[in-house]
């Protein structure tokens, strides 16, 4: 542990973490983003396939993603000239600008025999959770998004990934512009069955 680094229990971090979608324009440091990425690769992973890939988008790259998202939506719409359609297209284009950094997390399909696609997806999701917890520790705002962009072939082509690969998360990362919401304590009793 580095000098001056404070320790917080993992359990406390898990309980404190909240998705924060409203962020300032302040850009997290490269070191902060790399810390999140480093945490990701410690996720449990059956067969050690390390299926995760990370695309860190800053600055102009977010605008480019917005154009791709707008084009993907335009191809789905029956018409694109009405006021309502234009509003939807503009909204899609501006989605990547909600945060100063976007980390797109991809699960790449393994080519090895015996590897289940679902297991690599689960491992990649675990990697995303690690990133969320480290973002919380670093005082960053972070929200796990998917939506149409996660399934759009146009976005996959833009990233240069295969059609069978999965975009597991588009993580918006920045600094909070709003206070963290408090949630009621969640009870495990309703969700748990004990078998003896």
């Amino acid at each position: 542990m580095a000098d001056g680094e404070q320790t917080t229990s993992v359990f406390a971090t898990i309980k404190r973490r909240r998705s924060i979608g409203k962020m300032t324009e302040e850009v997290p440091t490269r070191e902060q983003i790399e810390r999140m990425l480093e945490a990701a690769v410690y996720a449990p992973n059956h067969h050690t396939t390390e299926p995760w890939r990370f695309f860190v988008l800053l600055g102009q790259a977010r605008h480019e993603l917005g154009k791709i998202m707008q084009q993907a939506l335009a191809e789905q719409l029956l018409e694109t000239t009405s006021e309502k359609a234009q509003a939807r297209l503009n909204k899609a284009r501006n989605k990547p600008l909600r945060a100063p950094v976007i980390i797109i997390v991809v699960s790449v399909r393994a080519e090895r025999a015996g590897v289940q696609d679902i297991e690599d997806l689960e491992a990649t999701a675990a990697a995303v959770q690690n990133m969320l917890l480290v973002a919380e520790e670093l005082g960053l705002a972070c929200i796990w998004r998917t939506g149409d962009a996660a399934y759009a072939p146009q976005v996959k082509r833009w990233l240069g990934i295969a059609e069978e690969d999965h975009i597991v998360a588009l993580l918006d990362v920045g600094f909070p512009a709003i206070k963290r919401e408090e949630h009621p304590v969640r009870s495990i009793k309703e969700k748990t069955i004990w078998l003896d």
Side-chain angles (χ1 to χ4, degrees):
M1 181 159 302
D3 290 340
E5 191 172 324
Q6 294 182 343
T7 59
T8 304
S9 79
V10 173
F11 191 57
T13 302
I14 289 168
K15 289 174 68 176
R16 189 178 65 240
R17 195 210 67 77
R18 297 288 179 270
S19 294
I20 298 176
K22 294 195 183 296
M23 302 176 192
T24 68
E25 294 181 13
E26 183 181 356
V27 181
T29 66
R30 186 180 181 108
E31 290 76 19
Q32 288 172 317
I33 299 301
E34 287 177 345
R35 181 80 171 212
M36 291 174 63
L37 298 171
E38 183 180 0
V41 300
Y42 280 91
N45 175 214
H46 193 203
H47 295 294
T48 321
T49 57
E50 299 182 2
W52 39 71
R53 301 294 182 274
F54 309 102
F55 297 85
V56 181
L57 281 60
L58 305 119
Q60 188 59 35
R62 296 172 307 133
H63 291 276
E64 291 174 21
L65 175 61
K67 289 178 189 174
I68 299 298
M69 289 169 62
Q70 184 182 46
Q71 289 169 9
L73 177 59
E75 290 177 25
Q76 293 177 3
L77 297 178
L78 296 175
E79 63 83 24
T80 59
T81 57
S82 70
E83 189 175 319
K84 184 176 179 180
Q86 283 296 304
R88 286 186 66 193
L89 291 167
N90 287 333
K91 183 177 180 182
R93 185 180 185 127
N94 289 320
K95 281 182 178 180
L97 306 181
R98 294 177 291 200
V101 177
I102 299 173
I103 305 174
I104 301 178
V105 186
V106 174
S107 179
V108 175
R109 187 176 293 244
E111 299 297 329
R112 288 170 36 192
V115 175
Q116 300 279 344
D117 192 38
I118 187 66
E119 291 177 347
D120 280 347
L121 281 168
E122 291 164 344
T124 306
V128 173
Q129 176 69 354
N130 284 0
M131 296 169 78
L132 292 172
L133 294 176
V134 169
E136 177 64 33
E137 282 189 342
L138 295 171
L140 298 173
C142 196
I143 185 168
W144 183 340
R145 298 189 191 272
T146 50
D148 292 340
Y151 309 102
Q154 299 88 338
V155 174
K156 290 184 178 184
R157 284 195 296 272
W158 182 71
L159 292 171
I161 63 174
E163 193 174 324
E164 65 268 16
D165 296 335
H166 300 282
I167 296 175
V168 175
L170 292 93
L171 286 182
D172 286 2
V173 187
F175 289 92
I178 56 173
K179 287 187 175 182
R180 177 178 281 102
E181 288 184 22
E182 292 301 320
H183 289 287
V185 176
R186 297 168 184 173
S187 171
I188 63 169
K189 293 179 181 177
E190 301 169 3
K191 308 291 185 181
T192 307
I193 298 172
W194 293 80
L195 303 173
D196 195 353

